[in-house]
Amino acid sequence: MSASQRRRRAEAPRPVALDQAETVIVDHYTRLVRLAYLTLPGTLTRHRRVLTAHALVQRALPGFRARRAAPKVPEPRQGGAGRAGTAWMTERVLCAVLAHDRRPRGWPSQLPPPRGLRPMLPLVWGLRLFPRAGGTEEIELAQVLAQVSAPARAAFVLCGLDGLPRTEVAELLATADVPDPEEALRTAEGVKRSVGEAAGALLRSQEFDACSVQTRPTDLLRRRRRFRLAWCAAGVVVLGGAALIAVGPAPSDEPSRPSGGPPAISAAALLRTPPGDWADTSRVDFTAWPARGSRADDRALLTRALSIWTDPPRGTRVDSTTTTSTEPPSRTTQLLYADDVGRETVVLFHDGRRVVRYAEPDSASEPVSLDFARADDADVTTAAALAVGREGGKVRYLTAPWIAQAQTRDLLRPNAPGRPLDVSDEGLTAPVDEPPGADSDSGPNSNSNSGSGSGPNSCDSLPVLQLRSSARIVEKHAFLVADLGDLSPVHLSYTPLPGSGAPARQPREATGRAALLSWARGACRLPQLRGSGVRSVNHWDFAEQNLPEDAGRAVWSCTRASTWRGPGSVLIQFRTSTESATAPAKLVGQARSTAACSRFGQHVVAGTAWTAGSGHRYLLAAGSRQVTGISVTGDVETDRRGRTLAVRAPKDARVTVRARLTDGASLAEVGAAARAAR
């Protein structure tokens, strides 16, 4: 322990009398429970976190050996005996919460802490407890807090909710045996910066109030069956006890698979859509999917899946896309599929907001997995397929019932025809190659070649699905979807160059020749979007211009990735006619959480440096159809009428590009800060 920690511990609040401690708990019970609930690890289910938070606060009351006389506490620093008691009880709760998952000395790190060291009361039988649901901001805050350490969560709550000064929070953390309170405070400040000024209001929301909870029953039918079977089981145990002792238990080749808690709903309560409803409904999305698969009536499998979804046991692999809730199933949960896929048994659910994939390997020694993905407002294209299994660099899809034909094609070979893809009667496809980067953790801004003309490495093939809808819902409708690592493949679309004097073009399916040729130049950056919850990607050719010195033609494109949660990111790309038809376009700008290149951001201007074959360097700029002029300031000063600009510029010139629109408004360059830094 450092000298500063010893000093803080010496100055920490001293014990108070038992009656005063009880008064503090009663008066501040809601605040202390909220502190415990927010500090506990997010790996616990909400039901367990609620009960554990209450248990830790109640056990913070000192034993009956505590002195009845209140000790002397430094009045100026603590602000009175009441303040001293509050600080001391907060310290006890904080110590208990931070020690909840702490292992005893010598306990193996790969094993969970022994349950005997955890609080057992209060207990709830027959009910599941959940705080009332908040909004998307609360969900995002919960996900951010789950990624930081428990001391950082505690510091964030103490500063943001209780309003304690930094020094007092540091003292509380030090007395709770936190090795580095300052590091926890710095992390908490980073969380506050990412959340913004609304941090305090979010912490006070009902999402984190473990004292105002909702209740749901456990599986009532299952409880009744257990009660009836208990008497039969008792007789069987008595009669077979002697034989079991004599013979001994049969050896087991594999360990048993862990089970979850009682399911929030029973398998019999799952919704099932009739097989033909998809062709006679105006809502063509996941709600129109019938229940398919040879194990759709396997009650034991469905109960097991719902049980683990409700209360995942320790060791379960749980993965969710950004802002996707992992809360237990609701009464609106619908069964989509249940069958054996490769070396796994897979069950797919849909509850109106999410698609959930449950998978259990053939071997009971391997952990089961749960995958959650957003599916609200899905449509005929974004609900067209789901990834049901991945193995050996291959992925298998379950196609929607309205898909009449499936093909695979390579985006980097626009002139090659699509290849037929085998699909079973249940809609399960043959294995399809995963795109490059499937095993990487690259994000939207991870491209190290953003300043060069070359594209991402190891991109010589990019397989996608080309699906065709049944004529029973729409005629001659084919579209592309690409795998970006989530359950739902991403819908790809294309917006062509604006016509002369024509109204603005709208996104269309990327199956035509012009769309495929354009996508071939920008497709290699699709894998950078993996795992970011992307719903659709539109590739918009917004401008073209003649290059100086008769060097050919250039096309400017904006590739927008729209996520299920709303925000989108854009990549501005620049390609020339002198390069190969599949050479990756040059990345000249990028932006995150922007409306640019969407129907709410229809105007765009961008610039880039370009070198002619003669060695002369130029600054090029271009804007979308409503741009009437472009101005440049900085190392180059110029102002030109029209939608394109080309001017000689020195090497590494730092400039600012702006455009004028037809209504007189001024438009800043997309990704200007990123381009200036290159």
Side-chain angles (χ1 to χ4, degrees):
M1 182 183 299
S2 65
S4 59
Q5 284 185 290
R6 288 194 295 269
R7 185 178 65 256
R8 285 169 176 166
R9 172 163 293 215
E11 297 174 354
R14 298 173 60 189
V16 297
L18 180 60
D19 53 354
Q20 184 181 349
E22 182 183 15
T23 300
V24 170
I25 287 183
V26 172
D27 292 345
H28 297 271
Y29 189 76
T30 300
R31 180 185 67 83
L32 294 173
V33 170
R34 192 185 295 258
L35 169 63
Y37 182 82
L38 283 162
T39 306
L40 284 168
T43 54
L44 298 176
T45 64
R46 294 195 298 168
H47 174 79
R48 286 183 178 178
R49 286 175 69 189
V50 168
L51 293 182
T52 304
H54 284 273
L56 293 174
V57 173
Q58 293 173 18
R59 287 166 61 93
L61 187 69
F64 288 96
R65 292 182 180 180
R67 292 173 296 169
R68 283 289 174 180
K72 294 181 179 180
V73 179
E75 295 293 335
R77 189 175 70 85
Q78 300 294 343
R83 176 68 173 140
T86 302
W88 189 62
M89 292 307 302
T90 300
E91 175 197 326
R92 287 181 62 88
V93 171
L94 187 60
C95 290
V97 173
L98 295 179
H100 177 258
D101 272 353
R102 193 171 294 160
R103 295 163 175 79
R105 185 184 302 274
W107 190 264
S109 60
Q110 66 270 22
L111 295 180
R115 291 186 177 273
L117 300 181
R118 298 183 179 186
M120 301 302 294
L121 294 176
L123 292 176
V124 175
W125 294 89
L127 288 175
R128 309 294 296 173
L129 307 181
F130 310 97
R132 297 184 180 275
T136 57
E137 292 180 336
E138 286 85 349
I139 294 175
E140 291 177 359
L141 174 59
Q143 292 178 338
V144 171
L145 290 176
Q147 297 173 1
V148 301
S149 64
R153 292 194 295 268
F156 179 71
V157 176
L158 292 170
C159 293
L161 185 63
D162 297 346
L164 297 182
R166 181 187 178 95
T167 54
E168 190 167 341
V169 174
E171 292 175 2
L172 286 172
L173 295 176
T175 56
D177 290 331
V178 174
D180 192 350
E182 293 299 329
E183 175 62 25
L185 283 165
R186 286 192 294 269
T187 304
E189 290 171 354
V191 173
K192 183 177 181 180
R193 285 193 299 270
S194 65
V195 175
E197 297 298 328
L202 293 177
L203 288 173
R204 294 181 180 87
S205 71
Q206 60 184 7
E207 174 81 16
F208 308 117
D209 187 359
C211 290
S212 299
V213 296
Q214 301 179 94
T215 60
R216 291 179 184 169
T218 55
D219 192 337
L220 301 178
L221 295 178
R222 185 177 181 182
R223 284 163 50 192
R224 178 179 294 182
R225 287 194 298 269
R226 285 178 173 176
F227 179 77
R228 290 176 176 176
L229 291 174
W231 296 101
C232 297
V236 171
V237 168
V238 171
L239 294 175
L244 289 174
I245 294 173
V247 177
S252 177
D253 295 333
E254 292 186 350
S256 61
R257 191 184 303 279
S259 60
I265 63 171
S266 66
L270 287 170
L271 304 180
R272 296 171 183 251
T273 301
D277 276 17
W278 62 269
D280 191 25
T281 179
S282 60
R283 183 177 177 181
V284 185
D285 57 13
F286 288 112
T287 60
W289 281 41
R292 291 175 285 176
S294 63
R295 303 188 66 174
D297 295 322
D298 188 334
R299 186 67 58 86
L301 170 63
L302 300 181
T303 300
R304 198 159 60 244
L306 292 169
S307 173
I308 291 180
W309 178 5
T310 300
D311 189 7
R314 201 173 279 274
T316 303
R317 295 176 180 172
V318 180
D319 187 24
S320 62
T321 57
T322 307
T323 71
T324 303
S325 169
T326 59
E327 65 184 17
S330 64
R331 291 291 176 183
T332 61
T333 301
Q334 169 192 355
L335 177 64
L336 301 182
Y337 182 76
D339 210 338
D340 298 324
V341 181
R343 295 185 298 176
E344 291 182 320
T345 300
V346 176
V347 184
L348 296 177
F349 301 102
H350 173 249
D351 67 355
R353 299 177 296 114
R354 302 168 295 172
V355 172
V356 181
R357 176 183 179 270
Y358 167 81
E360 56 181 38
D362 290 343
S363 173
S365 62
E366 299 181 35
V368 300
S369 61
L370 284 170
D371 296 283
F372 298 82
R374 291 275 294 267
D376 42 320
D377 297 325
D379 56 24
V380 65
T381 58
T382 52
L386 288 174
V388 294
R390 299 178 187 273
E391 183 178 359
K394 304 280 187 178
V395 58
R396 300 185 71 179
Y397 297 95
L398 182 68
T399 58
W402 58 83
I403 297 302
Q405 184 185 65
Q407 294 181 322
T408 61
R409 70 178 313 134
D410 190 344
L411 275 186
L412 299 187
R413 290 166 177 79
N415 296 319
R419 293 175 296 177
L421 178 63
D422 292 335
V423 182
S424 71
D425 294 339
E426 296 283 357
L428 186 65
T429 71
V432 179
D433 289 335
E434 287 188 295
D439 295 326
S440 66
D441 296 325
S442 59
N445 295 310
S446 63
N447 178 23
S448 60
N449 298 319
S450 61
S452 67
S454 62
N457 297 325
S458 303
C459 183
D460 52 10
S461 175
L462 208 151
V464 296
L465 289 183
Q466 180 167 312
L467 306 176
R468 182 172 60 83
S469 301
S470 170
R472 297 173 65 182
I473 60 171
V474 58
E475 293 185 355
K476 299 180 180 180
H477 178 230
F479 54 94
L480 300 184
V481 293
D483 175 33
L484 291 185
D486 294 329
L487 288 178
S488 299
V490 175
H491 178 217
L492 305 182
S493 58
Y494 170 69
T495 304
L497 286 164
S500 178
R505 303 279 183 95
Q506 298 300 316
R508 59 197 64 186
E509 301 303 346
T511 53
R513 176 173 172 78
L516 293 172
L517 288 172
S518 182
W519 260 111
R521 301 293 304 274
C524 281
R525 290 191 171 85
L526 271 179
Q528 299 175 23
L529 302 169
R530 289 185 64 85
S532 54
V534 176
R535 172 192 179 116
S536 60
V537 182
N538 181 56
H539 191 70
W540 173 29
D541 289 340
F542 66 87
E544 64 178 336
Q545 73 177 122
N546 293 323
L547 293 172
E549 303 183 15
D550 295 327
R553 190 172 64 97
V555 176
W556 299 75
S557 303
C558 181
T559 304
R560 176 178 175 83
S562 299
T563 62
W564 286 94
R565 63 188 185 278
S569 60
V570 298
L571 302 175
I572 305 297
Q573 302 187 74
F574 173 86
R575 66 182 190 269
T576 65
S577 59
T578 58
E579 298 169 318
S580 165
T582 58
K586 178 183 179 181
L587 180 62
V588 300
Q590 54 188 336
R592 301 183 64 183
S593 299
T594 177
C597 306
S598 71
R599 61 188 179 125
F600 302 108
Q602 301 182 20
H603 312 307
V604 61
V605 64
T608 186
W610 177 80
T611 303
S614 63
H616 296 154
R617 295 185 176 89
Y618 291 85
L619 171 68
L620 305 181
S624 52
R625 62 188 301 273
Q626 293 293 326
V627 170
T628 60
I630 299 176
S631 63
V632 179
T633 57
D635 293 343
V636 178
E637 300 277 349
T638 188
D639 192 309
R640 304 284 179 87
R641 294 176 59 86
R643 296 176 48 228
T644 62
L645 175 146
V647 61
R648 291 281 295 273
K651 183 180 180 181
D652 298 329
R654 299 183 65 87
V655 298
T656 299
V657 177
R658 299 192 68 85
R660 295 185 301 278
L661 303 178
T662 54
D663 60 1
S666 178
L667 180 67
E669 177 187 4
V670 174
R675 185 186 59 76
R678 291 198 296 270

